[in-house]
Amino acid sequence: SVTSEAHRSVLPLAIAATEPDQIIYHIDPSQSEASYQVDEVLFGSIKGRTVKGGTSHVDGDLMVDWAEPERSRLGTVTVDLSTLHSDSALRDERIRNAYLESNRFPLAAFVPDHAALKLPVNPTVGQELRFQLPGLLTVHNITQYVEWGVTLTVEKERLMGAADLEIQMS
């Protein structure tokens, strides 16, 4: 969930509203979640089940220029991986300590390719926007080019959306 609020310039890729038609939307952690889904393998060979986990510790800003959408910008989006949780404390510890090493690498960060943020001029309330959002994702100090599949719905005072991506745990 993304809600409008006054601009905060705290991210590595800072964005600012400089024109009257530009609005800064901030990811609202109380209404947002970064989540994962993984097929669990038990004892190295027994296929388990698909498990899910997540965190509400997500941060980022989006500046939308509804008059000139090509000027819209998404700032760096970060997720605090040290706060991921699922239905199993044992799994959570294993993911944090053995796989993500989130005590050493607590943040995942996405830096978008701004040329790809394509929004329509003056969308209507309730309109659903779908697009691919490429950029650089850094997890565990490894950076790779990725493309998120994004769906945004324009509401009266906010944008609601989801972004999906499939990556290998390795």
Side-chain angles (χ1 to χ4, degrees), residues 35-105:
S35 62
Y36 69 89
Q37 178 176 307
V38 65
D39 291 329
E40 194 170 55
V41 177
L42 304 172
F43 306 113
S45 64
I46 302 170
K47 181 166 169 70
R49 60 190 173 106
T50 300
V51 296
K52 299 175 183 179
T55 180
S56 62
H57 293 240
V58 184
D59 193 23
D61 293 314
L62 169 65
M63 185 278 292
V64 177
D65 188 323
W66 293 117
E68 296 182 53
E70 68 278 0
R71 292 173 41 173
S72 298
R73 297 288 181 259
L74 174 64
T76 300
V77 176
T78 59
V79 176
D80 183 350
L81 300 176
S82 69
T83 62
L84 286 173
H85 62 278
S86 69
D87 63 350
S88 168
L90 184 61
R91 179 186 311 111
D92 296 345
E93 281 303 310
R94 184 83 175 145
I95 287 173
R96 280 194 289 268
N97 294 325
Y99 301 118
L100 295 177
E101 294 183 271
S102 55
N103 57 331
R104 289 181 54 211
F105 310 103

Side-chain angles (χ1 to χ4, degrees), residues 113-133:
D113 175 354
H114 290 304
L117 190 57
K118 308 234 187 287
L119 300 174
V121 176
N122 298 320
T124 59
V125 171
Q127 182 176 355
E128 187 175 270
L129 313 174
R130 291 179 180 267
F131 54 94
Q132 295 298 113
L133 183 59

